[in-house]
Amino acid sequence: ETGVTQTPRHLVMGMTNKKSLKCEQHLGHNAMYWYKQSAKKPLELMFVYSLEERVENNSVPSRFSPECPNSSHLFLHLHTLQPEDSALYLCASSQDEASGNYNEQFFGPGTRLTVL
Amino acid sequence: AQSVAQPEDQVNVAEGNPLTVKCTYSVSGNPYLFWYVQYPNRGLQFLLKYITGDNLVKGSYGFEAEFNKSQTSFHLKKPSALVSDSALYFCLRGSYIPTFGRGTSLIVHP
């Protein structure tokens, strides 16, 4: 156990559905991340919430919407997804410092998403 | 843009032999470099990191990595491979937007 949990572990959804992925960290960290891992691409950073700022990868489609209500919880809201969005979605957390991101990230087990 | 490269998609090694998984980084400032391992159907696990100080960094499960500034490399090494080391290995450059390498599949044969 890494101290980062993700639910659900598996999700199958149609293209017209709306669903949310949840991540929770029990490590007292101040930064949380969403990554997409697909078979043909490297790990792709989608969103970061760090030191109360949100950073996003500009290539992420608007059908993905993050929410970070507090430093322990992170959501990824999904709507009108496409089959190519099928992937493993990983959440991570770390303790970031204003002087630099030199602390390791702790990853959850991921949510395996299949879009039909 | 800062980046990391893992030039090998797959590395094969016999059990008991030394292993090396390669990582190079783009030259820009002082890099924070990390190695992670991913076992099937699992999230990534931290192995080791270089921030500053000694160029040889020791980490979990007997792994180590050497930071080489002149060659802009941070190769992961282990003196004697185990079959259980078979997994996917990722190099990461820590920054405002962290960047992972493509990953290298390590296969250790009995």
Side-chain angles (χ1 to χ4, degrees), chain A residues 2 9 33 35 37 40-43 45 48 53 55 88 90 99-105 107-109 112, chain B residues 32 34 36 38 41-46 49 51 88 90 92-103:
Chain A
T2 63
R9 293 293 305 276
Y33 309 74
Y35 290 91
Q37 185 178 27
K40 297 184 178 180
K41 285 188 173 183
L43 274 162
L45 178 69
V48 183
E53 282 190 37
V55 177
L88 182 68
L90 292 165
S99 55
N101 300 340
Y102 44 75
N103 291 317
E104 58 269 30
Q105 296 176 42
F107 283 80
R112 176 69 63 185
Chain B
Y32 303 141
F34 302 76
Y36 289 82
Q38 185 179 30
N41 301 312
R42 302 281 294 275
L44 277 69
Q45 296 177 38
F46 167 75
K49 68 181 178 183
I51 304 300
L88 198 54
F90 291 94
L92 166 70
R93 181 169 186 156
S95 64
Y96 189 57
I97 299 180
T99 306
F100 276 94
R102 294 187 62 86

Side-chain angles (χ1 to χ4, degrees), chain B residues 61-101:
Chain B
Y61 312 120
F63 284 94
E64 59 187 31
E66 185 171 8
F67 173 70
N68 188 318
K69 189 172 183 178
S70 63
Q71 297 184 5
T72 63
S73 68
F74 188 57
H75 300 332
L76 181 70
K77 299 182 180 184
K78 187 172 182 180
S80 178
L82 300 172
V83 172
S84 57
D85 292 330
S86 299
L88 198 54
Y89 290 80
F90 291 94
C91 183
L92 166 70
R93 181 169 186 156
S95 64
Y96 189 57
I97 299 180
T99 306
F100 276 94

Side-chain angles (χ1 to χ4, degrees), chain B residues 6 8 13-14 17 19 23 31 40 42 48 50 52 55 59 61 63 70 75-76 96 101:
Chain B
Q6 293 181 242
E8 302 155 318
V13 64
N17 283 0
L19 70 87
C23 174
R42 302 281 294 275
L48 50 80
Y50 172 82
T52 186
N55 289 340
Y61 312 120
F63 284 94
S70 63
H75 300 332
L76 181 70
Y96 189 57

Side-chain angles (χ1 to χ4, degrees), chain A residues 25-95:
Chain A
Q25 59 97 358
H26 311 273
L27 302 167
H29 289 164
N30 62 5
M32 296 188 78
Y33 309 74
W34 279 118
Y35 290 91
K36 176 183 178 183
Q37 185 178 27
S38 53
K40 297 184 178 180
K41 285 188 173 183
L43 274 162
E44 179 185 0
L45 178 69
M46 301 177 74
F47 303 100
V48 183
Y49 284 84
S50 175
L51 301 172
E52 300 184 1
E53 282 190 37
R54 174 174 136 183
V55 177
E56 55 189 85
N57 183 337
N58 291 331
S59 67
V60 175
S62 59
R63 54 186 182 268
F64 294 91
S65 173
E67 178 189 1
C68 191
N70 55 61
S71 60
S72 299
H73 295 86
L74 183 65
F75 296 89
L76 187 62
H77 303 301
L78 318 170
H79 63 97
T80 59
L81 294 192
Q82 303 297 310
E84 61 263 30
D85 297 322
S86 298
L88 182 68
Y89 289 83
L90 292 165
C91 173
S93 72
S94 67
Q95 183 62 25

